[in-house]
Amino acid sequence: MRLVVDLNKCQGYAQCAFLAPDVFALHGEEALLYDPRAAEEQRERLARAVAACPVQAITADGLDGAGGATAEAGQGESGGR
Amino acid sequence: MVADYLERLRREGRIVIVGASLAGLRAAETLRAEGFAGSLTLIGDEPYEPYDRPPLSKAVLLGRASARHTELPHRREIDAKWRLGVAATGLDLTAKRVRLADGDEVEYDRLLIATGVRARPWPKEEEARLDGVCVLRTRDDAARLYQRLRSGPRRVVVIGAGFAGSEVASACREKGIPVTVAERAGAPLVGALGGAIGAVAADLQLENGVDLRTRVTVTALEGDAIGRVRAVHLSDESVVEADVVVVSLGSQRNTEWLTGSGLGAGPRGVACDAGCRAFDFRGIVTDDVFVAGDVARSPHALFGYQFLSLEHWGNAVAQAETAAHNMICHGADRRPHLWMPAFWSSQFGVNIKSVGVPPMGEQLMITQGSLAERRFVGVYGHQGRTVAAVTFDNARWLEFYQRQIEQGAPFPVEFPTVDRRPEGRQPVPADFPDPSLPTHGPTVTLSGYSPADRQLVFTPARH
Ligand SMILES: Cc1cc2nc3c(=O)[nH]c(=O)nc-3n(C[C@H](O)[C@H](O)[C@H](O)COP(=O)(O)OP(=O)(O)OC[C@H]3O[C@@H](n4cnc5c(N)ncnc54)[C@H](O)[C@@H]3O)c2cc1C
Ligand code: SF4
């Protein structure tokens, strides 16, 4: 599964790092490091992190196993489509 | 008539996007999300599908992610024809055709230019070819540099202490590799954040064991008998032995393929209006050519309509969304690209974030925290207005300052702050270098002025 974090939005609250510690980690006080390619066995945890992020900064695809679909709770910075 | 044209365009038109990276992909997704049903072609000279670059200088160099696996997640199906591994080499505005390096031609009804920038190479070609001399822009660059760092170099020299160079130095130190950073200015990050904040970045580097050399330039790269780099010569006559040299001297815009097309494209990028429509060289806006991302230069209403070139991830996403929207809707429904400039960097374990346009600021005020603790909010002012803010490990405050900037809040800031230290009471010079001197650093460049303004030349006041 691929993922990207909009680090302009990210507030370093670290919910994702608690829920999926093999994918996300805080580096220092609030800088977030993550692996943009999460392993298959991380699916559940990654889905929970995406849902839990308070600012909807995480975009991931392949979460439903279909490969193309996307889980993204929010939209880009500029909002509407 | 116009309505008919747009209806047809949306139903069966041909949209071509040149540059298959962050801006190109997000634009393609937005086009489909907004109902574009015609044919969509993405042309990219890299042989890879769109991938994310920020991890390349961070997680990848630290070995926490693979350079080969930073492909961007797709927000939706885009049903596009991909032409990857082939460069666009020319544009015919009259015939509405893009020429490709393999001799092919692709016709369009509307075109989006998203060709971004590339790393500025070391200017002396022979020295640049020495084994061990690297740049960092693509995933291939990152894979090569990662291998070099893994093989345990005696010392790495980074030329240029902008964000990218500083991030590379940070990764080296974290891996225990000796690193020297050579910077022309008086401190790292000076072009982007000014000398006052640069001094903090310098302390951060020194404390983490970087051999930081400022106010020097690199005069030569020296190779050994079999063509490997072995030493770096500096303008203060010192010589630093190294077997990896990372050239981090900023970027060059990928506009060469537009030479002679009649577009207003050149070394400073492709100029466009606030709706992302490209200008031709006469300064007249085109109807069918749009621009987004690092290659674009567009006027921003909040910053005096100055043309901003923003080499920022968030800008590429937002501008791509706006350009795509505007490509397939009526004039009245078009949106201006009013994105508030913002970026992040992480280095030496510190999260650095900014909103607004720091290089516009003449003065800086620390409104929270303290420089000495490396945990603070700095606010930049220009002619009595708040124009930018930077945080070191204090990201939660940025949103507040973003709103201040949007509202044109006065500077020096008037509100009482929660933990203001003595150093925050008075604005100090932000200390940006003289813009007329050559520099490689700034991630924001200010140039030109609004077409509506009579002034022909704009030179920001500096001292
Ligand atoms: C190492 C690194 C770290 C970064 N870190 C940060 C960060 O921490 N925060 C931040 O805000 N930003 C960061 N950035 C900047 C961010 O990655 C860019 O702003 C973003 O990639 C811009 O996207 P783009 O699509 O406009 O351009 P690009 O990503 O440059 O893509 C342009 C694409 O077009 C292709 N192309 C060029 N010419 C042609 C042609 N003639 N024909 C066909 N294709 C062509 C290029 O090869 C490239 O694939 C970083 C960049 C790098 C390199
Ligand atoms: S949960 Fe969201 S805001 Fe918190 S660190 Fe993760 S990405 Fe950032």
Side-chain angles (χ1 to χ4, degrees), chain B residues 195-275:
Chain B
I197 302 297
V200 182
D203 285 346
L204 206 53
Q205 295 211 357
L206 293 172
E207 221 165 79
N208 282 278
V210 175
D211 169 31
L212 176 65
R213 316 278 185 102
T214 55
R215 299 190 201 284
V216 294
T217 53
V218 172
T219 52
L221 307 181
E222 183 190 327
D224 65 11
I226 55 167
R228 291 179 311 201
V229 71
R230 62 168 295 273
V232 173
H233 294 250
L234 302 177
S235 53
D236 62 3
E237 315 236 301
S238 57
V239 179
V240 182
E241 287 188 20
D243 29 30
V244 177
V245 173
V246 183
V247 180
S248 194
L249 294 173
S251 53
Q252 294 175 317
R253 276 139 239 280
N254 293 319
T255 54
E256 290 78 1
W257 68 285
L258 297 167
T259 306
S261 67
L263 278 188
R268 291 195 300 175
V270 185
C272 61
D273 73 357

Side-chain angles (χ1 to χ4, degrees), chain A:
Chain A
M1 293 156 293
R2 302 169 175 186
L3 68 132
V4 66
V5 180
D6 181 341
L7 289 164
N8 288 316
K9 278 191 192 168
C10 169
Q11 306 273 317
Y13 289 126
Q15 273 87 332
C16 56
F18 286 119
L19 291 166
D22 290 336
V23 181
F24 305 93
L26 275 198
H27 196 55
E29 299 269 320
E30 61 169 45
L32 184 70
L33 270 186
Y34 64 94
D35 187 343
R37 174 70 68 94
E40 190 53 36
E41 64 267 20
Q42 297 294 323
R43 179 179 302 278
E44 278 288 299
R45 288 191 201 109
L46 178 56
R48 257 180 267 144
V50 170
C53 174
V55 289
Q56 282 102 37
I58 311 168
T59 303
D61 72 6
L63 273 184
D64 60 358
T70 294
E72 182 185 29
Q75 277 313 327
E77 198 94 337
S78 61
R81 297 231 172 120

Side-chain angles (χ1 to χ4, degrees), chain B residues 293-331:
Chain B
D294 281 9
V295 76
R297 213 158 66 80
S298 62
H300 202 304
L302 273 184
F303 302 99
Y305 294 99
Q306 290 191 66
F307 279 80
L308 304 182
S309 299
L310 301 166
E311 289 177 43
H312 300 159
W313 189 94
N315 181 65
V317 174
Q319 200 167 24
E321 289 170 354
T322 302
H325 170 85
N326 290 348
M327 282 174 96
I328 53 165
C329 75
H330 296 289

Side-chain angles (χ1 to χ4, degrees), chain B residues 3-271:
Chain B
D4 282 356
Y5 175 76
L6 254 172
E7 260 331 295
R8 262 219 348 264
L9 175 75
R10 292 173 63 91
R11 205 172 53 237
E12 56 194 37
R14 297 160 303 177
I15 291 185
V16 171
I17 298 177
V18 183
S21 180
L22 180 62
L25 175 65
R26 293 301 182 234
E29 290 163 350
T30 305
L31 286 167
R32 290 301 191 208
E34 296 200 0
F36 173 66
S39 86
L40 185 55
T41 307
L42 275 103
I43 300 166
D45 61 359
E46 292 186 77
Y48 311 114
E49 59 173 306
Y51 60 87
D52 207 27
R53 297 181 201 275
L56 299 180
S57 54
K58 306 175 185 82
V60 167
L61 292 187
L62 292 174
R64 307 262 197 111
S66 158
R68 290 179 181 81
H69 292 304
T70 75
E71 294 99 338
L72 286 159
H74 291 208
R75 289 172 172 175
R76 55 173 297 123
E77 293 285 349
I78 54 172
D79 185 23
K81 197 165 157 205
W82 295 86
R83 300 289 305 261
L84 297 178
V86 55
T89 51
L91 171 63
D92 185 333
L93 283 178
T94 319
K96 295 183 145 193
R97 265 199 305 255
V98 176
R99 274 190 303 281
L100 303 186
D102 62 6
D104 230 359
E105 295 195 321
V106 185
E107 295 190 337
Y108 64 83
D109 297 307
R110 290 224 154 128
L111 173 71
L112 178 68
I113 297 171
T115 44
V117 305
R118 62 181 179 276
R120 184 184 301 281
W122 180 244
K124 297 181 196 163
E125 273 172 46
E126 215 163 286
E127 295 179 5
R129 275 197 298 272
L130 289 171
D131 188 49
V133 177
C134 314
V135 293
L136 181 53
R137 178 77 196 172
T138 67
R139 58 180 258 184
D140 290 343
D141 295 339
R144 275 190 294 263
L145 181 55
Y146 177 65
Q147 280 312 322
R148 300 249 178 218
L149 298 188
R150 259 175 63 116
S151 66
R154 284 171 306 159
R155 177 169 291 276
V156 174
V157 171
V158 177
I159 309 177
F163 282 106
S166 300
E167 287 177 2
V168 171
S170 166
C172 288
R173 288 312 301 139
E174 198 157 319
K175 291 276 160 205
I177 301 166
V179 60
T180 298
V181 172
E183 165 60 43
R184 182 206 302 262
L189 313 185
V190 161
L193 297 175
I197 302 297
V200 182
D203 285 346
L204 206 53
Q205 295 211 357
L206 293 172
E207 221 165 79
N208 282 278
V210 175
D211 169 31
L212 176 65
R213 316 278 185 102
T214 55
R215 299 190 201 284
V216 294
T217 53
V218 172
T219 52
L221 307 181
E222 183 190 327
D224 65 11
I226 55 167
R228 291 179 311 201
V229 71
R230 62 168 295 273
V232 173
H233 294 250
L234 302 177
S235 53
D236 62 3
E237 315 236 301
S238 57
V239 179
V240 182
E241 287 188 20
D243 29 30
V244 177
V245 173
V246 183
V247 180
S248 194
L249 294 173
S251 53
Q252 294 175 317
R253 276 139 239 280
N254 293 319
T255 54
E256 290 78 1
W257 68 285
L258 297 167
T259 306
S261 67
L263 278 188
R268 291 195 300 175
V270 185

